Amino acid sequence: MYFQGYWLCLGLLFVSVNAEFMDDGVEVEELGENSEDIDTNEGELSSEIKYKTPQPVGEVYFTETFDSGKLAGWVLSKAKKDDTNVEISIYDGRWEIEELKENRAPGDRGLVLKSRAKHHAISTVLAKPFIFADRPLIVQYEVNFQDGIDCGGAYIKLLADTDDLNLENFHDKTSYIIMFGPDKCGEDYKLHFIIRHKHPKTGVYEEKHAKPPDVDLKPFFTDRKTHLYTLVMNPDDTFEVLIDQIVVNKGSLLEDVVPPINPLKEIEDPADEKPDDWDERAKIPDPSAIKPEDWDEDEPAQIEDLSAVKPDGWLDAEPKFIPDPNAEKPDDWNEDMDGEWEAPRISNPACRIGCGEWKPPMINNPKYKGVWRPPMIDNPNYQGIWSPRKIPNPYYFEDDHPFLLTSFRALGLELWSMTSDIYFDNFIICSEKEVADRWATDGWGVKMLANANELGILRQLITTAEERPWLWLIYLVTAGLPIALIISFCWPRKVKKKYEDANYKETDICKPQTKGALEQEGKEEKAALEKPLDLVEEKQQSDGEILEKEGEPQEKSEEEIEIIEGQEEGNKSNKSGSEDEMKEADESTGSGDGPVKSVRKRRVRKE
């Protein structure tokens, strides 16, 4: 029964760990059914993941896998950043197409940012512009910070569909509609979702930032794993942000962006000014208060303690520090260049009690009152905090459907990073969640299998528990159960053995008995049965005392033994000690000179 429970716990452990590795439905069974990229051998995963370039299964606006090894359609920027030092204003950061450093799937490649402390800019045109109307927008891609991240970003920009869009001149001021993706500098870990909303009255684009996620983003930047970032914008003005197909942020464009889409109906009048006689003081000094005559403002806050006495052994003439008598001038000391050499100073060993001029310690002055100030009273002329009057906002508008943003027709990465080898892969822009999910399964899902396949079982357990600390409890129970079973089966049962020994009775060696001895024994047993119960109770008390003692065994008297034997024999239907038994014994033995009969006698074990 114990071992059945152990194997049950062990099975539950592996089931839970396997489920954690395959978050949100990205399971081995699903990948086996939905993707042709994974080959199985007799129902088990092959040691080498078979990767095949994902193919979109529906309508898409843009896809890119980089598996061809070429940057076909991508344009490197030749622009320069404004308001930046000339030496670093050029977008000269290097891009390469490479496989992952770790947990790679053969044949899978991605776009890698290769340069440190340089500006990078690269962009490409979509298959067709995305027009915000009645269909959702789904943007999805993968990022892996292969060397961690010190300071830098891995976000993308969706560039506005304008007539003057020139990808060779792509830079930080190029008009974009959406900016989405991870960014980090210092200890600030961010996941940007920014939209640029066009003001209908002024025509100016204003940035609106989504509220930050409520989850800890640091592990996604530091674990050196490939993570899947997904943005979903719906025509009902709601949005969702997902990492590894788990929602980490969601809200409404009307309520959960800063500053809000719609401005205030009223604003403060910029021409209004506070009157000169406006009194904002809630409290004022009491003008009728007078300083008390005995208030001495000249008394110091602390005075010398007149009761203090200089300690015995205080050396007034001794300095606190003296030159180190053991110090020696270095051999390479040059007085012409280094000046006159002086030995370093050390604490004076003679100053065990104290040295130098002795001064009594300072204590708080009981007469000190400080500068006198009149008490504060309510200001009878208080008018409150002044604020400008409100006027109607001349630029007020109300956009009930902010999803209808300006269309975009290009995707770009314009980044600065202090860390190299940032990996990008499997971009997709579409309107159907099923298409994006299938794309993720065929691309990112295969990477997750490659990661699980390369890790040993022990490393998988540790890695999973680092991400989900509650698994350590399951590990502890699973490991501790067999230890508990071993202890329960093998630990010596001392207490039980003690009572078994106490109840144990050993038979005496058979003693030869004559007919006369048997008759005498029968008489004694019969007399013992007629004795008062007090002797029996005394015997039981003595037995209890014997059991409580753990020391040396003690001998019972012959009388006590006979009483115990008589009581036991009397309870057996008065068979022992009866005249019939005596008669049978007489017949069997014949005379006193005949052969003897062995009689078994009980003896209480003595402890």
Side-chain angles (χ1 to χ4, degrees):
M1 185 67 180
Y2 287 116
F3 291 106
Q4 291 177 356
Y6 169 70
W7 288 114
L8 177 60
C9 291
L10 189 61
L12 291 175
L13 169 64
F14 283 107
V15 169
S16 63
V17 171
N18 184 61
E20 293 299 334
F21 270 115
M22 304 300 161
D23 270 338
D24 288 278
V26 184
E27 299 179 355
V28 176
E29 291 78 9
E30 289 184 352
L31 288 170
E33 295 174 359
N34 298 332
S35 176
E36 299 177 356
D37 306 341
I38 303 171
D39 295 336
T40 56
N41 182 18
E42 297 179 354
E44 295 183 359
L45 188 67
S46 172
S47 60
E48 181 180 352
I49 298 298
K50 303 299 182 181
Y51 172 81
K52 183 178 179 181
T53 300
Q55 299 294 330
V57 294
E59 182 183 3
V60 296
Y61 296 87
F62 175 75
T63 60
E64 180 60 82
T65 64
F66 304 103
D67 290 342
S68 66
K70 300 178 181 179
L71 284 173
W74 290 83
V75 179
L76 294 173
S77 176
K78 300 178 181 179
K80 295 183 180 180
K81 287 178 67 73
D82 296 334
D83 305 325
T84 306
N85 189 299
V86 177
E87 296 179 356
I88 62 173
S89 64
I90 303 175
Y91 287 95
D92 57 350
R94 188 163 56 93
W95 300 89
E96 296 287 348
I97 296 179
E98 299 176 347
E99 292 185 349
L100 282 168
K101 292 182 177 181
E102 299 178 357
N103 306 323
R104 66 176 63 89
D108 180 27
R109 298 180 179 90
L111 180 66
V112 181
L113 180 150
K114 298 297 293 183
S115 305
R116 295 180 65 256
K118 288 184 178 293
H119 290 288
H120 302 71
I122 191 171
S123 56
T124 186
V125 177
L126 308 186
K128 57 182 177 180
F130 182 89
I131 299 174
F132 291 89
D134 56 355
R135 303 187 67 188
L137 168 65
I138 300 174
V139 181
Q140 183 172 274
Y141 69 106
E142 302 169 15
V143 175
N144 188 324
F145 296 102
Q146 300 184 91
D147 293 334
I149 184 71
D150 294 327
C151 182
Y155 46 81
I156 64 173
K157 292 181 178 181
L158 303 180
L159 308 182
D161 184 8
T162 59
D163 295 336
D164 60 348
L165 178 61
N166 180 2
L167 298 187
E168 288 188 350
N169 195 39
F170 174 43
H171 60 288
D172 58 324
K173 299 297 193 313
T174 300
S175 179
Y176 69 89
I177 301 304
I178 293 174
M179 175 173 152
F180 170 66
D183 187 20
K184 186 256 184 181
C185 199
E187 289 301 316
D188 191 9
Y189 298 87
K190 297 179 180 180
L191 180 55
H192 292 298
F193 171 40
I194 304 172
I195 63 172
R196 296 183 76 237
H197 182 266
K198 186 177 181 180
H199 197 293
K201 290 190 174 182
T202 64
V204 176
Y205 284 90
E206 299 175 344
E207 288 188 355
K208 311 294 182 180
H209 296 248
K211 64 180 182 180
D214 294 331
V215 300
D216 181 15
L217 298 175
K218 183 176 180 179
F220 302 110
F221 289 80
T222 58
D223 61 5
R224 306 191 181 192
K225 295 180 181 179
T226 302
H227 293 288
L228 184 70
Y229 293 87
T230 307
L231 169 66
V232 180
M233 294 180 64
N234 298 307
D236 63 356
D237 303 310
T238 61
F239 68 87
E240 287 184 338
V241 176
L242 302 90
I243 302 179
D244 299 343
Q245 298 186 322
I246 299 175
V247 176
V248 297
N249 195 8
K250 63 181 179 179
S252 168
L253 297 177
L254 291 168
E255 300 174 356
D256 299 305
V257 296
V258 179
I261 294 290
N262 297 315
L264 298 173
K265 290 183 178 181
E266 292 185 333
I267 60 173
E268 295 179 349
D269 185 359
D272 193 14
E273 296 181 357
K274 183 175 71 173
D276 295 336
D277 59 348
W278 190 277
D279 196 342
E280 294 181 336
R281 299 174 300 166
K283 298 281 187 180
I284 60 172
D286 185 359
S288 63
I290 300 175
K291 184 175 72 173
E293 296 180 357
D294 60 346
W295 191 284
D296 189 355
E297 296 182 350
D298 297 331
E299 284 286 345
Q302 289 190 324
I303 59 175
E304 293 182 350
D305 185 3
L306 300 180
S307 62
V309 179
K310 182 171 69 173
D312 294 338
W314 188 281
L315 305 176
D316 296 84
E318 285 286 342
K320 293 182 180 180
F321 299 94
I322 60 173
D324 185 358
N326 299 322
E328 296 181 359
K329 184 173 68 173
D331 296 336
D332 58 349
W333 188 273
N334 189 330
E335 293 190 355
D336 294 335
M337 298 181 61
D338 302 326
E340 183 180 357
W341 180 81
E342 294 182 358
R345 302 175 69 80
I346 61 173
S347 299
N348 190 345
C351 299
R352 291 190 302 272
I353 306 299
C355 293
E357 181 183 0
W358 180 84
K359 294 181 179 180
M362 304 296 288
I363 60 174
N364 293 331
N365 185 1
K367 298 180 180 180
Y368 172 75
K369 295 184 178 180
V371 178
W372 180 85
R373 292 183 177 86
M376 303 297 287
I377 61 173
D378 293 334
N379 183 5
N381 300 321
Y382 176 66
Q383 296 175 272
I385 303 299
W386 181 87
S387 61
R389 63 174 175 266
K390 300 290 185 178
I391 61 172
N393 184 358
Y395 301 106
Y396 173 75
F397 67 90
E398 189 170 358
D399 185 353
D400 296 331
H401 201 16
F403 173 76
L404 301 178
L405 300 171
T406 302
S407 60
F408 62 88
R409 65 182 176 97
L411 179 149
L413 292 89
E414 189 266 321
L415 306 169
W416 162 274
S417 178
M418 293 300 296
T419 306
S420 61
D421 290 326
I422 302 176
Y423 177 94
F424 300 86
D425 199 7
N426 293 334
F427 290 88
I428 186 171
I429 299 176
C430 61
S431 291
E432 299 177 27
K433 190 66 166 62
E434 294 78 10
V435 175
D437 289 344
R438 176 62 182 271
W439 181 266
T441 300
D442 294 346
W444 175 76
V446 174
K447 289 185 176 68
M448 294 304 96
L449 285 180
N451 179 44
N453 202 36
E454 284 197 11
L455 292 174
I457 182 61
L458 181 60
R459 182 58 187 165
Q460 290 184 39
L461 294 175
I462 295 175
T463 302
T464 307
E466 289 175 351
E467 298 174 355
R468 298 164 180 84
W470 56 268
L471 284 175
W472 288 114
L473 180 60
I474 298 179
Y475 297 169
L476 181 62
V477 172
T478 305
L481 185 59
I483 298 176
L485 293 176
I486 292 173
I487 293 176
S488 64
F489 283 127
C490 301
W491 196 262
R493 311 285 181 90
K494 291 185 177 181
V495 176
K496 184 175 180 180
K497 187 176 185 303
K498 175 181 177 181
Y499 286 101
E500 288 176 352
D501 292 345
N503 295 328
Y504 176 81
K505 295 181 180 181
E506 181 183 350
T507 57
D508 288 340
I509 300 174
C510 294
K511 296 179 181 181
Q513 297 278 333
T514 63
K515 180 178 179 181
L518 291 174
E519 293 178 352
Q520 181 63 26
E521 182 180 351
K523 293 179 181 180
E524 292 177 351
E525 291 176 351
K526 187 175 181 180
L529 293 175
E530 297 177 355
K531 287 186 178 182
L533 193 59
D534 296 344
L535 290 177
V536 177
E537 294 178 352
E538 181 179 352
K539 170 256 176 186
Q540 293 176 349
Q541 293 177 0
S542 63
D543 287 348
E545 293 175 358
I546 292 173
L547 290 176
E548 292 176 358
K549 292 181 180 180
E550 297 179 359
E552 299 177 355
Q554 297 180 359
E555 293 291 340
K556 285 183 174 291
S557 65
E558 294 182 1
E559 183 180 358
E560 292 176 341
I561 295 175
E562 290 174 357
I563 292 173
I564 296 171
E565 293 174 348
Q567 184 180 6
E568 293 177 351
E569 297 295 334
N571 292 335
K572 298 179 180 178
S573 303
N574 296 326
K575 289 184 179 180
S576 60
S578 65
E579 293 180 358
D580 294 339
E581 184 177 349
M582 295 297 297
K583 183 177 180 180
E584 292 173 2
D586 186 34
E587 292 175 357
S588 62
T589 56
S591 63
D593 299 331
V596 297
K597 178 182 179 180
S598 298
V599 179
R600 295 169 63 102
K601 296 182 65 179
R602 294 182 178 275
R603 181 181 67 184
V604 177
R605 187 178 184 277
K606 300 179 286 295
E607 282 189 346

